[in-house]
Amino acid sequence: MAQIDLRDSDVSVYLRGDDLRLDGASCYFWAHALGTRWHLTGQPLRIESGGWSATPNRIHLKPDEAQWHCSWSIDPHDPTPLTDVLGTAASYGFSFAGFSSEVSGRLSMAEFEIRT
């Protein structure tokens, strides 16, 4: 499995929701490696409703644990530190957190880019 060093990388992405019902959820970028997943809760992503935004979401993946939330670890008593997860990311993506019921509708993504 290929790994990528995401430390201090910049992410750019357009997100569009069509009939998207978030039920209180926010959308976040996440990264996973070494049995641990972190969500960038300090930078929620904007989802334009029914059309594309004039500007993309731009986030900086600074390894500052105050901006991130460790949402899962194979060893919850000793999760892999954020800097190690970002340094050897095996997977990453977008997720919804904070919903009161199932998120439904359609989410579209365009021009996703990571600059390392």
Side-chain angles (χ1 to χ4, degrees):
M1 176 180 297
Q3 297 175 343
I4 182 172
D5 185 349
L6 294 175
R7 290 173 295 183
D8 288 310
S9 294
D10 293 302
V11 173
S12 175
V13 65
Y14 290 89
L15 296 174
R16 171 184 172 158
D18 291 290
D19 297 317
L20 187 61
R21 290 171 293 286
L22 296 173
D23 289 316
S26 294
C27 185
Y28 302 108
F29 180 85
W30 59 264
H32 176 268
L34 307 169
T36 303
R37 182 181 313 112
W38 288 83
H39 279 81
L40 182 53
T41 55
Q43 296 183 53
L45 298 167
R46 181 183 72 259
I47 302 171
E48 195 69 28
S49 180
W52 295 104
S53 172
T55 59
N57 285 283
R58 296 186 191 281
I59 55 176
H60 182 70
L61 305 181
K62 183 177 179 179
D64 173 7
E65 289 189 9
Q67 295 292 307
W68 295 75
H69 169 71
C70 182
S71 59
W72 180 84
S73 181
I74 198 164
D75 181 355
H77 302 292
D78 189 24
T80 305
L82 174 62
T83 191
D84 294 345
V85 169
L86 290 178
T88 58
S91 59
Y92 51 82
F94 304 98
S95 66
F96 298 114
F99 46 85
S100 57
S101 62
E102 183 177 340
V103 173
S104 61
R106 184 173 53 187
L107 176 69
S108 300
M109 174 175 51
E111 298 184 38
F112 173 64
E113 179 179 32
I114 297 176
R115 291 189 182 177
T116 57

